[in-house]
């Protein structure tokens, strides 16, 4: 009979190198499914939710613990998702547990249970409790809190979770680290008239009884008026419209005139129900759509290379319609969901309630609700940031990756450090779905794939509606500084252009990719620079909060009047950030309304929407922003874009710096003159002859690509090699030096790739951790890359056994 014992291999939300096997209690065997959540004990007293990966009858080498219970009857993760998780863990060199952690909303991850307390607000009885559950309640009432081992001792058994879960579900007990559902459906209180008073005679009687309580009569009259449309009304709505109070309503509930009840509602807001037709396609767009469909006959991935304002979204909409007509689901990925309200509203107006949205700004309850709606097929179209890849699609037919080149598509920390564009192509392959990559400035790797014939290529060279591309104007910072024409951070050319735009009642966008007021504070007497105490960077001055802040670890100091080093009072703030630009432009144009769009200005879930809405409604004349202003924004009245410091973008460490500088400048330039007339872009630089500046001035993507591809081929960087970046961190310099040298030397011995480093990065210390970086270059051959990864993993495993360096933290980034 032992061979008939059912075992499950489960994925735990931990960085564990393999799945763990548990036995299934006989009474739960008929109910277990792959992709289902189960509660398991891991370690002595820790409980976790885990996902069933496999079901079998093969006895493991060591005795398997029993699973505690099933979290819910249905599987919340599909088998296709599990395949995707496995691929991601293997390709990006992380564990399936880390992928699970990234994939599941926190409301679907149960944390370990350690402390349990009695709920003092519980008003029910204990009649339904069994003996064990009542024993726990008695212990809870006698002590302020108890821990799991105490419960196990009390019940003389290890498996105490079922009893505890009953107490949690009945709200008799609460826990600081609960193994209990984090997701709670949102409920709204409604008011209903007692059926007895639907009879007119009975209603007249109660009015007579309430004669001495005029406030209650008014409330009842208000309900009677509202009740003509619906038999029950939201409590808040009733109180607001009747101008009554909760106390008056409570009195009528007590008299049994009204019944109060709760109803579950969606957190995701009411969608507009009026459907709109999608816009008429131009001749160029119709041709592009036909070319995409033609490519799809032989290829699964197509790059739609359309200039800014060419109407790529209109083409996406037609492809979405075709996918939905075939009964398929659509995933629409955007680089930063918080900045794409315009696209979301547009799709909702056309596709109505079939559109769902998923991103990190939603709280855990909202994210669980969206997850469940996708799982049950309620959403046909899902708009999301890169995390939308992890949703439980059942029938995915089309994936659209808008702004495929964008750096936000890449996850930096924590693992898995995946690329949303590349991962979406793999996900689509699992469903045999099609992929459209859309952008005005393709990544070098993507364009190279079109040249090799791996991806299809469709071009849109004209803006929608015949609008001309913006005109570029060079503003030479060096010349204006020499002739003393600079006005703060602005050249005379940019000041004149802004003045002309405002005089014509047009709007302006000013772009600087650095937030804060100034780069750093320095003492003029001794040259002391205020640095972060935790990181190897200078503190950025923020005028609004009058603080010096670190943008890496969050450390901040209040501004002081004297130098920390020499006590001199001659302090200066050097450099510029978006706050300073906002300040200076407001001084130059005091009658203009200026606003700012950067990370510091977007502290709340709807902060971005407020700024964008004000700019759309022309309540703001000048918008100052970081790269956030380059993404997905479409404004009718912007005639001028100013790029404050092009040199800062170009001279940045990394082999992608010129590519990214070109992309950023072209994207922000595309915000000018999108609807009414030809726009202008003023590009401030000290080096007008630089090749990147030349390419931007001529909107010459092809020349930029050819320059970059030549450099990449010569020095063996992607797409001609695969790069793995290994980052090591430790609080002690000697440990980090020893570990990084060991890793680099051991990798050189394996002869599986070219090893560069260890190197000290641009920022060499963050949050008291010293950092070293090693680059490993492998060939593009998948087998060779696999050998490199395997060799690297063996070296990393060996490092964990060496006393001097096993405490060094190591992170691996494939395709950085």
């Amino acid at each position: 009979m032992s061979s008939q014992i059912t075992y499950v291999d489960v994925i735990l939300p931990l960085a564990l190198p393999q799945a763990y096997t548990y036995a299934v209690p006989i009474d739960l065997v008929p109910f277990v499914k792959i992709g289902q959540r189960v509660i398991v004990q891991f370690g002595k007293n820790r409980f976790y939710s885990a996902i069933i990966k496999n079901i079998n009858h093969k006895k493991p080498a060591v005795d398997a613990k029993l699973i505690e219970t099933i979290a819910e009857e249905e599987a919340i993760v599909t088998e296709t998702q599990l395949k995707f998780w496995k691929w991601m863990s293997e390709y990006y060199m992380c564990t399936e547990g880390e992928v699970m952690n990234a994939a599941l909303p926190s409301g679907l991850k149960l944390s370990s249970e350690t402390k349990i307390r009695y709920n003092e607000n519980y008003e029910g009885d204990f009649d339904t409790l069994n003996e064990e559950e009542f024993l726990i309640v008695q212990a809870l009432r006698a002590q302020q809190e108890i821990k799991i081992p105490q419960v196990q001792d009390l019940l003389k058994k290890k498996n105490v979770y079922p009893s505890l879960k009953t107490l949690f579900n009945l709200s008799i007990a609460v826990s600081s680290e609960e193994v209990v559902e984090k997701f709670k459906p949102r409920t709204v209180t409604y008011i209903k008239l007692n059926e007895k008073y639907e009879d007119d005679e009975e209603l007249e009687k109660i009015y007579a009884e309430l004669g001495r309580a005029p406030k209650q009569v008014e409330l009842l009259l208000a309900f009677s008026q509202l009740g003509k449309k619906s038999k029950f009304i939201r409590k808040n709505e009733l109180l607001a419209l009747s101008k009554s109070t909760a106390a008056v309503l409570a009195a009528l509930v007590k008299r049994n005139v009204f019944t109060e009840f709760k109803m579950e509602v969606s957190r995701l807001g009411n969608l507009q129900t009026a459907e709109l037709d999608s816009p008429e396609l131009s001749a160029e767009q119709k041709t592009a759509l036909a070319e995409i469909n033609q490519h799809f006959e032989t290829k699964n991935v197509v790059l739609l290379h359309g200039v800014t304002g060419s109407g790529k979204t209109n083409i996406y909409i037609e492809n979405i319609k075709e996918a939905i007509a075939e009964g398929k689901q659509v995933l629409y990925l955007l680089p930063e969901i918080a900045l794409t309200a315009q696209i979301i509203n547009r799709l909702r107006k056309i596709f109505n309630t079939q559109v769902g949205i998923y991103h990190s700004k939603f709280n855990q309850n909202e994210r669980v609700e969206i997850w469940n709606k996708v799982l049950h097929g309620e959403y046909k179209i899902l708009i999301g940031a890169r995390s939308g890849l992890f949703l439980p699609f059942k029938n995915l037919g089309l994936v659209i990756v808008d702004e495929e080149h964008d750096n936000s598509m890449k996850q930096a920390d924590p693992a898995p450090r995946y690329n949303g564009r590349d991962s979406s192509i793999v996900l689509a392959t699992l469903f045999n779905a099609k992929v459209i990559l859309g952008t005005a400035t393709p990544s070098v790797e993507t364009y190279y794939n079109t040249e090799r014939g791996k991806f299809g290529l469709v071009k849109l060279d004209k803006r929608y509606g015949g609008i001309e591309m913006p005109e570029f104007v060079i503003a030479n910072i060096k010349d204006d500084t020499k002739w003393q024409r600079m006005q703060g951070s602005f050249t005379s050319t940019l000041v004149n252009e802004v003045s002309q735009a405002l005089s014509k009642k047009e709007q302006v966008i000013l772009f600087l990719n650095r937030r804060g007021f100034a780069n750093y504070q320095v003492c003029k007497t001794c040259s002391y620079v205020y640095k972060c105490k935790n990181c190897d960077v200078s503190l950025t001055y923020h005028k609004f909060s009058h603080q010096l802040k670190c943008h890496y670890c969050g450390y901040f100091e209040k501004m002081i009047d004297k130098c920390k080093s020499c006590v001199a009072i001659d302090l200066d703030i050097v450099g510029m950030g978006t706050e300073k630009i906002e300040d200076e432009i407001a001084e130059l144009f005091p009658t203009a309304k200026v606003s700012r769009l950067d990370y510091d200005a977007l502290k709340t879930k709807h902060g971005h929407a407020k700024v964008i809405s004000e700019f759309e409604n022309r309540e703001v004349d000048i918008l100052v922003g970081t790269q956030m202003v380059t993404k997905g924004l479409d404004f009718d009245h912007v005639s001028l874009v100013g790029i404050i410091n092009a040199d800062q973008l170009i001279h940045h460490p990394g082999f992608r710096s010129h590519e990214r500088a070109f992309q950023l400048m072209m994207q922000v330039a595309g915000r000018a003159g999108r609807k009414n007339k030809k726009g202008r872009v003023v590009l401030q630089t000290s080096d007008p002859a630089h090749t990147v500046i030349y390419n931007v001035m001529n909107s010459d993507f092809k020349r930029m690509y050819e320059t970059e591809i030549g450099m990449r081929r010569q020095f063996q960087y992607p797409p001609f090699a695969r790069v793995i970046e290994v980052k090591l961190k430790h609080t002690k310099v000697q440990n980090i030096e020893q570990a990084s040298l060991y890793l680099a030397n051991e990798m050189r011995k394996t002869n599986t790739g070219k090893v560069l480093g260890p190197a000290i990065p641009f920022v060499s210390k963050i949050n008291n951790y010293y950092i070293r970086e090693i680059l490993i270059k492998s060939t593009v051959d998948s087998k060779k890359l696999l050998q490199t990864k395997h060799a690297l993993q063996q070296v990393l495993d060996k490092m964990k056994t060496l006393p001097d360096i096993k405490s060094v933290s190591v992170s691996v980034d494939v395709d950085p």
Side-chain angles (χ1 to χ4, degrees):
M1 289 295 289
S2 62
S3 62
Q4 291 306 306
I5 295 175
T6 301
Y7 296 97
V8 290
D9 299 326
V10 303
I11 304 171
L12 287 150
L14 303 167
L16 300 168
Q18 77 278 331
Y20 278 74
T21 302
Y22 287 81
V24 182
I26 293 171
D27 58 325
L28 294 180
V29 168
F31 306 104
V32 291
K33 304 180 183 81
I34 289 175
Q36 194 175 42
R37 272 194 313 159
V38 290
I39 308 301
V40 297
Q41 184 179 359
F42 187 77
K44 192 176 180 182
N45 295 315
R46 308 288 287 180
F47 291 87
Y48 292 95
S49 69
I51 299 293
I52 296 177
K53 180 183 178 181
N54 186 31
I55 302 171
N56 58 68
H57 298 287
K58 186 180 176 183
K59 186 177 180 181
V62 294
D63 288 341
K65 292 179 183 176
L66 289 170
I67 63 170
E68 300 290 320
T69 189
I70 292 170
E72 61 267 296
E73 287 186 22
E74 69 172 344
I76 64 157
V77 175
T78 68
E79 292 193 43
T80 306
Q81 277 180 292
L82 290 173
K83 289 178 188 174
F84 184 55
W85 290 9
K86 184 172 172 44
W87 169 83
M88 187 169 276
S89 70
E90 289 173 352
Y91 186 82
Y92 290 107
M93 292 189 70
C94 62
T95 66
E96 286 181 277
E98 288 171 309
V99 180
M100 173 186 170
N101 242 338
L104 289 184
S106 57
L108 291 177
K109 289 179 287 195
L110 307 180
S111 55
S112 63
E113 178 180 40
T114 52
K115 298 175 184 176
I116 308 108
R117 297 188 303 276
Y118 179 70
N119 181 10
E120 298 293 344
N121 297 319
Y122 179 71
E123 295 177 352
D125 53 41
F126 307 120
D127 295 347
T128 58
L129 302 184
N130 64 30
E131 187 179 344
E132 289 184 347
E133 292 157 359
F134 188 65
L135 269 174
I136 299 171
V137 171
Q138 285 183 309
L140 286 171
R141 296 182 79 180
Q143 304 173 54
Q144 283 196 326
E145 66 179 30
I146 58 176
K147 296 183 179 180
I148 287 253
Q150 292 171 279
V151 179
Q152 290 171 327
D153 290 342
L154 181 70
L155 301 185
K156 303 289 190 290
K157 62 193 289 190
K158 281 190 174 183
N159 185 6
V160 297
Y161 177 74
S163 299
L164 288 170
K165 187 169 184 181
T166 301
L167 301 183
F168 286 133
N169 288 344
L170 293 172
S171 296
I172 296 171
V174 292
S175 172
S176 56
E177 291 180 84
E178 300 170 299
V179 180
V180 62
E181 293 295 339
K182 290 180 181 176
F183 173 68
K184 294 178 183 175
R186 182 182 178 188
T187 57
V188 171
T189 303
Y190 280 86
I191 304 300
K192 184 180 180 183
L193 186 67
N194 189 323
E195 289 181 9
K196 174 183 175 182
Y197 299 112
E198 289 178 7
D199 180 80
D200 290 342
E201 286 184 22
E202 292 295 329
L203 190 59
E204 283 178 24
K205 285 180 187 176
I206 194 63
Y207 273 124
E209 286 179 29
L210 297 173
R212 293 184 181 179
K215 298 271 186 193
Q216 293 180 28
V217 172
E218 285 176 24
L219 183 56
L220 187 54
L221 281 167
F223 183 92
S224 299
Q225 289 297 315
L226 294 167
K228 291 175 182 176
K229 295 180 182 177
S230 176
K231 287 193 173 184
F232 47 87
I233 300 163
R234 283 194 184 205
K235 180 179 178 179
N236 291 346
E237 186 183 352
L238 176 60
L239 293 176
L241 292 172
S242 64
K243 296 178 181 176
S244 191
T245 64
V248 175
L249 178 60
L252 287 169
V253 171
K254 193 173 181 180
R255 279 177 177 265
N256 209 23
V257 175
F258 288 138
T259 304
E260 207 173 75
F261 67 98
K262 293 185 183 293
M263 187 181 290
E264 186 178 330
V265 295
S266 173
R267 287 183 166 79
L268 310 178
N270 295 319
L271 304 183
Q272 293 177 331
T273 53
E275 292 191 22
L276 297 181
D277 291 330
S278 50
E280 181 70 27
L281 296 185
S282 66
E284 291 86 0
Q285 289 172 328
K286 286 176 182 175
T287 302
L289 181 63
E291 287 178 8
I292 289 171
N293 291 331
Q294 190 177 341
H295 278 302
F296 277 158
E297 291 176 13
T298 56
K299 294 180 175 67
N300 288 327
V301 184
V302 174
L303 169 64
L304 177 58
H305 182 194
V307 297
T308 51
S310 58
K312 294 184 287 294
T313 310
N314 295 350
I315 296 171
Y316 299 155
I317 288 167
E318 296 304 316
N319 286 107
I320 290 169
K321 284 181 177 177
E322 289 174 18
I324 290 176
E326 293 171 7
K328 305 281 189 179
Q329 290 174 300
V330 177
L331 173 60
Y332 191 142
L333 287 184
L334 295 154
E336 286 193 28
I337 192 77
L339 301 173
T340 48
Q342 291 170 323
I343 291 174
I344 291 165
N345 291 336
R346 191 166 166 188
L347 291 179
R348 276 181 160 181
K349 285 174 182 175
I350 295 168
F351 296 103
N352 205 346
T353 55
Q354 296 179 98
V355 180
I357 306 155
Y358 188 76
H359 59 84
S360 58
K361 289 281 183 182
F362 284 134
N363 64 43
Q364 64 181 23
N365 287 340
E366 290 169 328
R367 296 182 83 180
V368 171
E369 191 168 330
I370 298 162
W371 182 282
N372 289 333
K373 282 179 180 287
V374 174
L375 185 66
H376 298 128
E378 293 180 46
Y379 286 141
K380 296 295 182 189
I381 307 160
L382 203 291
I383 305 172
R386 58 176 185 262
S387 57
L389 287 167
F390 295 116
L391 286 164
F393 296 102
K394 293 282 183 74
N395 192 20
L396 191 62
L398 176 66
V399 179
I400 297 165
V401 184
D402 200 15
E403 310 297 356
E404 64 84 21
H405 70 278
D406 198 280
N407 199 31
S408 302
M409 285 292 174
K410 173 72 175 176
Q411 163 81 0
D413 276 309
R417 296 171 181 84
Y418 65 98
N419 186 301
R421 175 198 63 219
D422 300 343
S423 300
S424 70
I425 293 169
V426 174
L427 179 68
T429 303
L430 294 173
F431 283 96
N432 197 25
K434 303 298 183 184
V435 181
I436 300 175
L437 307 176
T439 178
T441 54
S443 65
V444 169
E445 289 93 328
T446 297
Y447 203 80
Y448 179 72
N449 279 327
T450 67
E451 288 198 327
R452 285 199 307 153
K454 187 177 179 181
F455 298 167
L457 173 62
V458 176
K459 290 189 176 184
L460 272 175
D461 295 324
K462 293 181 181 177
R463 283 183 155 192
Y464 185 72
I467 296 164
E468 294 181 76
M469 291 296 289
E471 178 186 346
F472 284 88
V473 179
I474 284 281
N476 195 319
I477 295 172
K478 193 182 287 185
D479 287 352
D480 272 32
T481 303
K482 179 181 176 181
W483 299 108
Q484 297 183 347
R485 291 195 296 253
M486 293 292 291
Q487 297 184 54
S489 306
F490 308 103
T491 57
S492 55
T493 304
L494 183 53
V495 172
N496 291 337
E497 292 284 350
V498 172
S499 181
Q500 286 181 39
L502 293 177
S503 68
K504 295 173 186 174
K505 306 294 183 189
E506 294 167 345
Q507 291 175 297
V508 178
I509 290 176
L510 298 177
F511 167 66
L512 178 70
N513 209 26
R514 185 187 291 276
R515 57 195 173 97
F517 187 86
N519 297 7
Y520 58 92
Q521 185 177 35
V522 62
C523 174
K524 287 184 177 179
T525 304
C526 71
S527 299
Y528 174 80
V529 174
Y530 282 72
K531 288 195 168 186
C532 175
K533 70 174 188 179
N534 306 319
C535 310
D536 184 26
V537 291
S538 56
L539 294 170
T540 302
Y541 172 54
H542 287 250
K543 186 177 181 182
F544 180 75
S545 58
H546 199 57
Q547 289 177 335
L548 295 166
K549 291 184 180 179
C550 175
H551 289 170
Y552 286 87
C553 73
Y555 171 77
F556 65 90
E557 294 179 6
K558 279 285 182 187
M559 285 281 287
I560 55 174
D561 299 328
K562 294 178 181 179
C563 174
K564 277 185 178 180
S565 179
C566 70
V567 202
I569 58 171
D570 198 12
L571 301 179
D572 194 15
I573 49 175
V574 179
M576 58 183 165
T578 46
E579 276 189 29
K580 187 175 184 181
I581 298 302
E582 180 186 24
D583 220 37
E584 287 182 356
I585 203 73
E587 281 185 26
L588 286 169
F589 301 98
T591 58
K593 177 76 168 65
V594 182
S595 191
R596 180 163 46 90
L597 187 66
D598 61 17
Y599 177 79
D600 296 310
L602 308 181
K603 295 299 185 186
T604 62
K605 179 158 75 171
H606 302 294
H608 67 279
K610 183 175 182 292
V611 175
I612 291 168
S613 175
E614 287 174 350
F615 196 61
E616 269 187 315
N617 297 330
R618 306 190 74 178
E619 296 168 36
V620 171
D621 302 305
I622 302 171
L623 181 63
V624 179
T626 56
Q627 61 180 328
M628 288 183 170
V629 300
T630 71
K631 297 173 185 178
L633 302 177
D634 188 1
F635 302 113
D636 292 359
H637 303 285
V638 174
S639 67
L640 177 68
V641 166
I643 298 173
I644 304 298
N645 190 344
D647 307 332
Q648 175 203 47
L649 300 172
I650 297 166
H651 303 299
H652 196 273
F655 71 91
R656 299 186 195 276
S657 60
H658 285 187
E659 175 191 6
R660 287 195 174 143
F662 176 86
Q663 289 166 341
L664 270 174
M665 286 190 267
M666 289 304 299
Q667 288 288 335
V668 74
R671 305 307 117 198
R674 290 174 68 86
K675 288 286 166 71
N676 301 320
K677 55 182 274 189
K678 185 174 182 176
R680 286 169 73 80
V681 180
V682 176
L683 200 155
Q684 292 193 159
T685 175
S686 297
D687 187 8
H690 197 285
T691 182
V692 175
I693 301 294
Y694 178 87
N695 292 334
V696 170
M697 292 294 294
N698 293 283
S699 302
D700 196 342
F701 168 80
K702 191 71 173 166
R703 187 173 183 273
M704 184 281 294
Y705 169 76
E706 286 169 355
T707 305
E708 280 296 299
I709 208 75
M711 296 289 282
R712 304 271 184 97
R713 186 182 282 111
Q714 182 181 350
F715 295 105
Q716 286 298 293
Y717 277 103
F720 302 103
R722 285 288 170 83
V723 174
I724 301 173
E725 181 185 76
V726 185
K727 192 174 283 187
L728 300 94
K729 297 196 303 183
H730 201 271
T731 53
K732 293 179 181 176
V733 174
Q734 60 269 34
N735 290 58
I736 197 77
E737 292 286 1
Q738 187 180 347
S740 57
L741 284 168
Y742 174 83
L743 195 152
N745 291 334
E746 289 298 305
M747 279 306 296
R748 288 188 178 100
K749 289 177 189 175
T750 66
N751 204 28
T752 56
K754 187 176 181 181
V755 180
L756 304 178
I760 300 173
F762 185 64
V763 178
S764 62
K765 184 185 172 190
I766 296 176
N767 215 2
N768 288 319
Y769 281 88
Y770 294 95
I771 303 167
R772 296 293 180 269
E773 289 177 350
I774 296 168
L775 276 189
I776 303 166
K777 289 184 185 177
S778 175
T779 64
V780 290
D781 180 77
S782 56
K783 287 183 181 176
K784 290 286 178 67
L785 179 63
L786 198 60
Q787 287 173 5
T788 306
K789 289 179 183 176
H790 183 66
L792 177 57
Q793 191 59 59
Q794 285 185 319
V795 174
L796 294 176
D797 291 342
K798 192 175 177 182
M799 281 178 67
K800 291 174 186 173
T801 66
L802 302 175
D804 294 339
I805 59 176
K806 67 180 181 182
S807 60
V808 172
S809 170
V810 182
S811 64
V812 179
D813 190 355
V814 180
D815 302 336

